[in-house]
Amino acid sequence: MRIRSFQLSDANQVMELLQLALSEDCYEDTKRAFARQLSWDSELIMIAEVDDEVIGVLIGTIDQNMGCIYRLAVHPEYRRQGVGKNLIAGMEQRFQHRKIYRIFVVGDEHNKEIAPLYEAMGYGASKFLEAFQKLGIAAVHSMS
């Protein structure tokens, strides 16, 4: 498995993966957020691949000197094999390289399903944010 930054040639595979891995509502929200983040900073979109196939994607953003993990999607055949953990670790490194040390997970209804993964990586309830604006996290509060 290789973790790397998004490249424009990944776009079709990423969209197919998002549609396969996410619920319909989550997919609709995520494809808009993906397009916004792509126009802002594609370096904060991480890809996991095996044999040139995109098997995972993590969309992050930076808002007011705070790193936010917005969405994680892993191909169903590759779940519970460390793909999500490797993507999160890669994003953490990317944030640290940019001197961003406060990292939160956007705590919307779609991320609640994978909260145990985030918690296992040290993102307890105090590091989850409930976002009222997708990828423009202007109004947030800690989830308790």
Side-chain angles (χ1 to χ4, degrees):
M1 173 181 16
R2 180 174 163 224
I3 304 297
R4 62 172 174 79
S5 296
F6 173 86
Q7 300 168 358
L8 196 53
S9 60
D10 298 321
N12 288 337
Q13 283 192 66
V14 167
M15 294 310 294
E16 290 170 7
L17 173 66
L18 292 174
Q19 192 164 25
L20 175 69
L22 304 174
S23 70
E24 188 174 329
D25 288 344
C26 184
Y27 171 73
E28 291 300 320
D29 288 346
T30 303
K31 72 179 184 180
R32 287 186 293 273
F34 170 70
R36 279 192 299 272
Q37 187 58 37
L38 189 56
S39 71
W40 293 336
D41 187 350
S42 64
E43 288 289 312
L44 294 178
I45 301 172
M46 304 291 295
I47 299 294
E49 70 177 0
V50 170
D51 299 326
D52 296 324
E53 178 188 352
V54 174
I55 62 164
V57 62
L58 188 148
I59 302 169
T61 193
I62 296 174
D63 187 50
Q64 299 177 359
N65 223 19
M66 179 174 58
C68 294
I69 296 173
Y70 175 71
R71 184 74 67 231
L72 172 65
V74 175
H75 191 288
E77 293 177 14
Y78 290 91
R79 290 181 182 161
R80 301 194 183 281
Q81 297 179 34
V83 177
K85 287 182 181 180
N86 283 309
L87 283 165
I88 293 167
M91 185 63 70
E92 289 172 342
Q93 289 177 351
R94 182 72 37 94
F95 285 144
Q96 290 170 5
H97 179 72
R98 293 182 181 202
K99 309 286 190 244
I100 302 293
Y101 298 104
R102 291 184 55 211
I103 305 170
F104 294 88
V105 174
V106 175
D108 65 11
E109 68 273 13
H110 307 297
N111 275 339
K112 289 179 183 172
E113 292 178 20
I114 59 172
L117 168 63
Y118 290 120
E119 290 169 0
M121 295 201 62
Y123 293 89
S126 66
K127 290 194 175 185
F128 274 75
L129 296 176
E130 189 168 316
F132 297 105
Q133 297 178 356
K134 306 290 185 216
L135 268 168
I137 308 168
V140 295
H141 69 274
S142 294
M143 290 179 50
S144 307

